[in-house]
Amino acid sequence: MLQVGIVGLPNVGKSTLFKTLTKKQVDCENFPFCTIEPNVGVVEVPDERIDVLSKMSGSQKVIPTAIEFVDIAGLVKGAHKGEGLGNKFLANIREVDMIVHVVRDFVDENVHHVDGSIDPARDVEIIELELAMADMATVEKRMAGIQGKMKAGKTKELEVQLGALERISAVLEQGKMANTVELSDDEEVLLRDMSLLTRKPILYVVNVAEDASMTDWESPLGADRLAAPISIKLESEIVDMEEEEQKMFLAELGLERSGLDRLIKKCYELLDLITYFTSGEKETRAWTITRGTRAPQAAGKIHTDFEKGFIRAEVIGYEDFVAGGGESGARDAGKLRVEGKDYVMNDGDVCHFRVST
């Protein structure tokens, strides 16, 4: 399952965002360090296509794809040195696929800011420095280990690793992100197990006031950071509305989707993920894969044996499935394709995999 870590300073709206996303009650009191242990919640990925497919197939069960969100304690300046609750919480997001960095850009005298004033750009730099310094410790430890091994004899692999780490170290020392360093495919593979925080994709959620414009908005974080404006307080109210009431409310704001739906979609886009479907009377299910995945590997998402025993994929595009009124009509219209091991999956493919057992 896709994992997303939520980070930010205390009192920026992280826990409220998490509670709103998961509809799972967590403490959101107005004081720093309220979140002591990481909260974990699973969120369904909004995709209207799965409901359409399930109705056409008469499915007994619908299983959407999902994202796991991990909310950690608010970080403060000096967290990598043990300030506040210390940097042990950074370890909680070391294994996530991407990071959502929540930044406060609303004024409320009743909600204390840990640094005393509202300054999104400053706050981002504080957290990025903490992530960079945490990565610096990881890099230094790996470099020391490699240098020790090289005393016994240099190898090409060790030299490649050390060269890449030296370039990353030079950037981290400046408080910059490791994702600004260009690595070769070989270097990426050799360093992947380090799970550096500052090489992960990051989406900045700018927590704006309720009356802020979502359509005519300029990011305070500059053009180099992918940012999205969301009024987390407003979203926490929208999520409790009935579906029709939500639609009407969003229409009044000139929006097609809620901020939460836009956030989840942005996470998918940032990680270059797509969805394919399996659909029948028993169930309709959505499966998440990386763009460019071939059919055998997509089948392996269902069961590892499916990849090993892959014979062929029977594929109908979503639009063709709907136009045919379901699988039978699409098949009769000649829209079912038989694809082999080299087939690259497309977003919205509806598949049956034929495998040997």
Side-chain angles (χ1 to χ4, degrees):
M1 185 182 297
L2 172 65
Q3 272 200 330
V4 177
I6 306 176
V7 303
L9 291 169
N11 289 354
V12 297
K14 289 189 314 86
S15 294
T16 303
L17 174 63
F18 176 84
K19 184 177 72 172
T20 306
L21 277 166
T22 62
K23 298 184 183 179
K24 178 179 177 181
Q25 185 65 43
V26 294
D27 291 327
C28 304
E29 300 301 330
N30 179 25
F31 55 87
F33 314 125
C34 179
T35 309
I36 304 301
E37 294 298 331
N39 294 294
V40 179
V42 176
V43 181
E44 292 183 5
V45 176
D47 193 329
E48 57 277 1
R49 295 176 298 181
I50 196 170
D51 294 320
V52 174
L53 292 173
S54 66
K55 288 176 182 177
M56 287 187 168
S57 298
S59 303
Q60 299 171 24
K61 188 188 297 185
V62 177
I63 306 176
T65 189
I67 295 179
E68 186 174 88
F69 283 91
V70 182
D71 173 37
I72 71 165
L75 299 171
V76 293
K77 189 183 297 183
H80 69 281
K81 300 177 183 177
E83 296 294 330
L85 291 177
N87 67 355
K88 71 170 187 173
F89 298 102
L90 292 172
N92 294 322
I93 59 167
R94 184 68 71 179
E95 301 305 320
V96 300
D97 298 289
M98 65 169 286
I99 292 172
V100 165
H101 182 169
V102 182
V103 187
R104 178 174 169 179
D105 195 20
F106 67 89
V107 177
D108 186 337
E109 294 180 357
N110 296 316
V111 181
H112 171 71
H113 190 289
V114 71
D115 281 327
S117 61
I118 306 302
D119 187 338
R122 176 204 61 202
D123 293 354
V124 162
E125 290 177 359
I126 289 172
I127 296 298
E128 288 184 348
L129 179 61
E130 294 309 316
L131 298 180
M133 291 302 99
D135 277 349
M136 190 69 196
T138 302
V139 168
E140 288 177 343
K141 184 177 180 180
R142 174 64 67 89
M143 287 174 67
I146 291 174
Q147 289 164 345
K149 291 178 181 178
M150 291 177 75
K151 290 178 181 178
K154 294 183 179 180
T155 67
K156 180 66 175 177
E157 183 175 302
L158 290 175
E159 289 179 342
V160 169
Q161 281 194 67
L162 186 59
L165 289 171
E166 286 174 344
R167 300 202 313 276
I168 290 174
S169 176
V171 166
L172 293 174
E173 283 180 347
Q174 301 173 45
K176 296 180 181 178
M177 309 286 274
N179 59 18
T180 60
V181 178
E182 196 168 320
L183 297 180
S184 68
D185 291 343
D186 288 342
E187 290 171 333
E188 286 279 11
V189 170
L190 290 171
L191 302 183
R192 188 173 294 155
D193 67 309
M194 296 180 69
S195 299
L196 294 177
L197 296 167
T198 59
R199 281 201 72 80
K200 296 182 185 296
I202 299 180
L203 173 64
Y204 297 84
V205 169
V206 181
N207 188 7
V208 297
E210 291 178 82
D211 58 354
S213 171
M214 303 298 172
T215 53
D216 184 21
W217 179 80
E218 186 174 339
S219 173
L221 307 181
D224 294 336
R225 297 182 177 97
L226 179 61
I230 295 180
S231 171
I232 295 175
K233 184 178 180 181
L234 185 63
E235 292 297 323
S236 68
E237 297 169 0
I238 293 174
V239 78
D240 291 327
M241 297 178 182
E242 296 294 332
E243 187 174 347
E244 285 304 313
E245 189 181 359
Q246 282 188 27
K247 291 179 179 177
M248 290 174 61
F249 186 78
L250 290 171
E252 289 176 7
L253 296 176
L255 301 173
E256 292 183 6
R257 293 180 178 274
S258 71
L260 299 185
D261 286 355
R262 298 197 307 274
L263 167 60
I264 295 170
K265 289 288 187 183
K266 282 283 187 185
C267 290
Y268 257 55
E269 291 172 12
L270 194 54
L271 290 169
D272 206 17
L273 300 175
I274 62 173
T275 302
Y276 80 86
F277 302 94
T278 52
S279 187
E281 290 185 9
K282 184 178 179 182
E283 70 176 31
T284 291
R285 183 163 184 164
W287 304 87
T288 297
I289 54 176
T290 304
R291 191 179 303 279
T293 297
R294 298 186 186 277
Q297 287 70 50
K301 287 287 184 179
I302 300 174
H303 196 289
T304 52
D305 289 345
F306 283 19
E307 181 177 353
K308 298 173 185 175
F310 179 89
I311 298 173
R312 65 179 184 274
E314 296 176 359
V315 183
I316 303 171
Y318 172 77
E319 290 79 8
D320 292 331
F321 193 100
V322 173
E327 181 179 340
S328 179
R331 185 190 298 267
D332 291 344
K335 297 300 183 180
L336 184 146
R337 309 188 312 275
V338 177
E339 303 287 359
K341 293 182 178 180
D342 292 331
Y343 176 67
V344 177
M345 300 288 290
N346 290 308
D347 185 53
D349 279 348
V350 185
C351 303
H352 285 298
F353 295 107
R354 302 303 178 185
V355 299
S356 61
T357 55

